[in-house]
């Protein structure tokens, strides 16, 4: 009788301990994605002042993938990186959507003159695009979610109109950023639905290596040249920050969140990043922030918040995937 009681008590206390540990990990990953990714828009803008956009982004992700892969191999042996052909194909598909199209086009747009803060405001619509992917797949989101999506796209129209019609933000770069956001949203929506390695860090390694390799090849084929000696310490510092913090730390944290937490929770980064990016762009690069831009940006951010909160309420009690918005 005593032994049974002791075992039950131990099990009961162990579960909350694991739950607390999981919550702490999720909170740490979110904090990294919130702050670090908000600052990467500024770092990208500084990097492409001298470096070619696609090759520098490609080498960035290749370097980050090698660093993370090397760390995993040292800690768990080379076997930890073993994947099946199907899993490798899945990583290649997500790497194409997130790294090549998503990150690559954002870098190219900032190279073309897109201010870092406004770029972040447009990318903030990613959760709205995710809802559109779900609707096209046959899901029926709640009315409040649909209203939030409609409002968010209205805010985007304000941002685009205020900056693209005779403004300093070339209209084509806005179109490129919107395509990048759509690709990122589709990739985020796809990731939990396709066959990938169980270890999210292994997923991140192959996505970065494949995506980085593709970006490098595309850039070189397009006439870009990477001349390390020609770039200033300022550009290298921005590139190094993007490798270590933007890719190794934040990208790995985001991929982990996509496989370990609700997609809607991971998507909350989209209404924190713009606040960080707009502030840093104004502070460091003196990027102008107009009243229409602020108004449209606030509408987008609030709409994303409404959508995410609405999605949190759509939990299915008693299921193994409770709280995971698919």
């Amino acid at each position: 009788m005593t032994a049974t009681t002791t075992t039950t008590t131990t099990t009961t206390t162990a579960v909350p301990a694991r739950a607390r540990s999981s919550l702490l990990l999720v909170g740490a990953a979110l904090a990294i994605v919130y702050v670090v990714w908000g600052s990467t828009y500024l770092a990208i803008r500084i990097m492409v002042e001298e470096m070619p956009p696609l090759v520098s982004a490609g080498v960035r992700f290749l370097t980050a993938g090698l660093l993370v892969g090397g760390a995993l191999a040292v800690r768990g042996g080379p076997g930890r990186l073993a994947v099946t052909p199907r899993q490798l194909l899945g990583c290649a598909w997500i790497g194409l959507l997130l790294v090549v199209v998503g990150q690559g086009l954002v870098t190219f747009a900032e190279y073309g003159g897109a201010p870092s803060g406004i770029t972040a405001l447009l990318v903030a619509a990613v959760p709205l695009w995710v809802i559109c992917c779900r609707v096209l797949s046959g899901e029926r989101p709640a009315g409040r979610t649909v209203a939030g999506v409609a409002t968010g796209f209205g805010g985007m129209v304000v941002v685009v109109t205020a900056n693209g019609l005779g403004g300093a933000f070339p209209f084509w770069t806005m179109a490129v950023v919107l395509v990048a956001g759509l690709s990122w949203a589709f990739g985020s929506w796809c990731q939990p639905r396709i066959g990938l390695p169980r270890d999210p860090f292994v997923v991140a390694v192959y996505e970065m290596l494949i995506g980085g390799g593709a970006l490098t090849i595309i850039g070189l084929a397009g006439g870009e040249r990477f001349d390390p000696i020609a770039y200033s310490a300022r550009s290298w510092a921005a590139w190094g920050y993007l490798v270590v913090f933007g890719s190794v730390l934040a990208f790995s944290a985001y991929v982990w969140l996509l496989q370990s937490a609700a997609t809607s929770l991971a998507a909350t980064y989209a209404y924190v990043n713009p606040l960080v990016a707009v502030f840093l762009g104004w502070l460091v690069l003196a990027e102008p922030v107009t009243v229409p831009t602020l108004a449209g940006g606030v509408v987008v951010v609030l709409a994303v918040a409404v959508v995410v909160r609405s999605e949190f309420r759509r939990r299915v009690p008693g299921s193994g995937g409770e709280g995971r918005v698919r």
Side-chain angles (χ1 to χ4, degrees):
M1 184 69 173
T2 304
T4 303
T5 304
T6 303
T7 302
T8 303
T9 303
T10 303
T11 303
T12 304
T13 54
V15 174
R18 287 197 297 270
R20 285 195 298 271
S21 176
S22 178
L23 285 173
L24 286 174
L25 286 173
V26 170
L30 282 172
I32 290 169
V33 174
Y34 283 173
V35 178
V36 173
W37 264 359
S39 64
T40 56
Y41 293 95
L42 172 64
I44 290 172
R45 193 77 172 86
I46 293 173
M47 179 185 75
V48 297
E49 288 176 351
E50 298 179 5
M51 294 183 174
L54 300 183
V55 173
S56 62
V59 176
R60 162 196 168 186
F61 280 103
L62 278 174
T63 304
L66 291 173
L67 289 174
V68 177
L72 293 180
V74 168
R75 295 194 60 184
R80 185 173 178 181
L81 296 172
V83 294
T84 66
R86 181 171 179 268
Q87 290 172 337
L88 188 62
L89 185 61
C91 289
W93 172 240
I94 302 300
L96 172 68
L97 293 171
L98 297 188
V99 177
V100 178
V101 183
Q103 287 287 335
L105 288 187
V106 164
T107 305
F108 190 71
E110 292 202 40
Y111 174 77
S116 60
I118 297 174
T119 299
L121 287 174
L122 293 177
V123 175
V126 162
L128 309 182
W129 291 120
V130 170
I131 298 297
C132 292
C133 292
R134 289 174 52 202
V135 170
L136 292 174
S137 71
E139 292 187 43
R140 293 294 176 265
R144 185 173 178 177
T145 297
V146 174
V149 170
T151 303
F153 283 124
M156 277 205 308
V157 170
V158 173
V159 173
V160 170
T161 303
N163 293 278
L165 303 179
F169 193 171
F171 185 81
W172 72 265
T173 62
M174 280 186 286
V176 167
V177 172
L178 290 174
V179 171
L182 178 57
S183 180
W184 188 273
F186 185 54
S188 299
W189 177 80
C190 283
Q191 180 149 321
R193 294 167 169 79
I194 63 176
L196 294 172
R198 293 177 61 87
D199 187 336
F201 296 107
V202 173
V203 174
V205 166
Y206 286 108
E207 287 180 2
M208 289 192 289
L209 288 177
I210 295 170
L215 274 175
T216 303
I217 292 171
I218 293 170
L220 291 174
E224 292 184 2
R225 293 294 176 265
F226 196 71
D227 185 3
I229 301 176
Y231 310 133
S232 66
R234 170 184 164 95
S235 293
W236 276 116
W239 183 87
Y241 180 84
L242 288 168
V243 169
V244 176
F245 293 95
S247 296
V248 171
L249 195 60
F251 186 79
S252 297
Y254 181 71
V255 171
W256 180 84
L257 280 170
L258 287 177
Q259 295 195 212
S260 307
T263 305
S264 56
L265 181 61
T268 57
Y269 80 89
Y271 59 80
V272 179
N273 282 178
L275 306 179
V276 176
V278 169
F279 173 74
L280 290 177
W282 168 79
L283 180 68
V284 178
L285 299 179
E287 292 181 349
V289 182
T290 64
V291 173
T293 298
L294 278 177
V298 168
V299 170
V300 171
V301 170
L302 290 179
V304 169
V306 168
V307 168
V308 172
R309 285 177 62 86
S310 174
E311 290 301 298
F312 271 138
R313 296 180 179 181
R314 301 184 65 206
R315 298 186 175 189
V316 183
S319 67
E322 183 173 350
R324 182 148 189 135
V325 179
R326 293 190 177 275

